[in-house]
Amino acid sequence: MEKLMQYIWQHRLFDHTKLVTTDGRKLRIIDNGQLNTDSGPDFFNAKISIDGCVWAGNVEMHRRASDWRRHNHHLDPAYDSVVLHVVEVADTPVYRTNGEEIPTLVLSCSPSFRSDYETLVSHSSSQSCAPHIAELGPIVLSDWISSLAIERLQSKSQRLHDWLELYKGNWEEVCYIVVSRSMGFGINSDAFERLARSLPLRFMQKHADSLSQVEAFLFGQAGLLAEGECLGDDYYARLVNEYAFLKNKFGLTPINRDSWKFFRLRPANFPHRRLAMLAQYIHRGFNLFSRICEAGNEEELRRIFKVELSGYWTTHYLFGHVSPESPVVLGESAIDIVLINAVAPLLYAYGMYVGNEDMTDRALSLLESLRPEKNSIVRRFSDIGIRVTNAMESQAVIQLNNEYCQTHKCLYCRIGHKLLSRSAMKLG
């Protein structure tokens, strides 16, 4: 349980007023050091005092002292800088490569702490802390939710910066991928991203004056056009022929059509109309990123994504299947999803990239002004007492679920930390 020992040491969850080494010398911790997440000793740059003599160096932790030799630290000069060996069981003294004995401290966690930790991380439910949420103060929750929202935006921003490097600083190309992904509305997001990354925006911009050619690019590259299918559908046949020409001209290889999911989707949410809307953005020139940056408020941002399909797509959800005619627009809730998952990350990433705090603040304000997402994760956290009133908070609980609850990283969650830190610690 070295992870638990590291946690106890890092947060000083023990009585550090009467410490002694295994050979009876008085020990005082001046600085616990910095947790090392790479190879080498567990904590760097610690400072301790043993019988009044100050030592600066590293701290290594093991379940049993004999693990020092089992891990071959006695042969590794990287561990000669260790000034304190912290263990639960001191079953043997340990030495540096030159034969000097390293002071040892026995640190054991209380049964209640170990039990609480095991309950949290081994529970079949990802929210095993749910019964205790009400015990936490509102400040603890609100601060953690705010931090999680920023953490999620920063994670998305890093991904966008990676794409920006890949596409040689072209923000419109990055915007095209991010907006494409958001058009998948969760279930088909990965497929939309895969499509966008396989079909450079600059290829379509060369043919942007022809909407049918842009649609041929997108539907063909999506693997949704196959010669001989949908017989009698003239528009489909036209796109098949157009894509055959474009595929040869640009050396394209379509993605697997099995990437697309239709199960339990309402026809209105099939990817075909979403692809047709993406085609409209490109047909209009696709200057979305510059328009997003220039938009003065939420309503202006919404207008950017309000497109209405006409012609073929007013009577089709799929190729070859005629449906009752109806206007086709991106609804308000759908635009919310695009603003949350594409626009806010783009504004934040760009603000971080150019050092513009106004832009990052715009991203945060946008999320605070939008309605919270409606999904099973948000509902689950709402049910256990974490209020979700806007999109910033819904993004936060999604981050909490994906990065902490699902991975059982309770030690790194402020909720888990607050609950665990109440358990009494002791030295043995």
Side-chain angles (χ1 to χ4, degrees), residues 204-220:
M204 290 181 286
Q205 287 175 325
K206 295 178 185 294
H207 296 263
D209 58 332
S210 170
L211 179 58
S212 63
Q213 286 194 325
V214 176
E215 288 193 1
F217 261 124
L218 289 168
F219 284 104

Side-chain angles (χ1 to χ4, degrees), residues 86-110:
V86 181
V87 301
E88 274 198 292
V89 180
D91 55 349
T92 186
V94 300
Y95 303 90
R96 299 186 179 93
T97 57
N98 63 1
E100 293 179 346
E101 184 174 349
I102 299 175
T104 298
L105 169 70
V106 174
L107 178 68
S108 59
C109 53
S110 70

Side-chain angles (χ1 to χ4, degrees), residues 26-60:
K26 184 177 180 181
L27 171 67
R28 181 168 66 91
I29 301 168
I30 302 171
D31 188 333
N32 292 61
Q34 296 178 327
L35 179 65
N36 173 31
T37 57
D38 296 317
S39 60
D42 294 312
F43 287 86
F44 288 148
N45 302 322
K47 188 179 290 185
I48 64 173
S49 170
I50 298 179
D51 277 349
C53 182
V54 176
W55 295 81
N58 301 327
V59 174
E60 176 68 1

Side-chain angles (χ1 to χ4, degrees), residues 152-278:
R152 185 163 178 81
L153 270 177
Q154 289 176 339
S155 176
K156 289 183 175 183
S157 293
Q158 184 56 57
R159 189 179 190 187
L160 269 56
H161 290 163
D162 292 342
W163 287 345
L164 186 67
E165 184 176 352
L166 182 64
Y167 293 103
K168 304 185 187 321
N170 189 331
W171 278 100
E172 289 292 354
E173 195 83 41
V174 173
C175 179
Y176 156 63
I177 296 173
V178 177
V179 170
S180 296
R181 179 176 177 83
S182 71
M183 297 294 282
F185 300 103
I187 192 166
N188 278 310
S189 292
D190 289 341
F192 265 95
E193 179 185 327
R194 199 173 303 124
L195 166 63
R197 298 189 66 181
S198 74
L199 180 60
L201 177 62
R202 66 182 185 276
F203 288 2
M204 290 181 286
Q205 287 175 325
K206 295 178 185 294
H207 296 263
D209 58 332
S210 170
L211 179 58
S212 63
Q213 286 194 325
V214 176
E215 288 193 1
F217 261 124
L218 289 168
F219 284 104
Q221 194 64 13
L224 298 175
L225 298 178
E227 196 168 350
E229 290 187 1
C230 302
L231 295 176
D233 188 324
D234 293 338
Y235 189 68
Y236 180 86
R238 179 182 173 186
L239 294 185
V240 169
N241 291 332
E242 292 274 19
Y243 180 67
F245 164 74
L246 296 167
K247 177 183 177 182
N248 182 64
K249 178 180 179 179
F250 292 98
L252 298 172
T253 301
I255 68 172
N256 192 327
R257 68 185 299 164
D258 292 337
S259 301
W260 302 98
K261 297 178 176 64
F262 296 85
F263 185 61
R264 290 181 178 172
L265 279 182
R266 293 183 303 153
N269 292 328
F270 285 172
H272 294 67
R273 283 184 171 177
R274 306 305 187 203
L275 287 168
M277 289 177 179
L278 185 58

Side-chain angles (χ1 to χ4, degrees), residues 329-344:
V329 295
L330 205 59
E332 290 299 313
S333 60
I335 292 178
D336 282 350
I337 293 174
V338 176
L339 296 179
I340 292 168
N341 293 308
V343 173

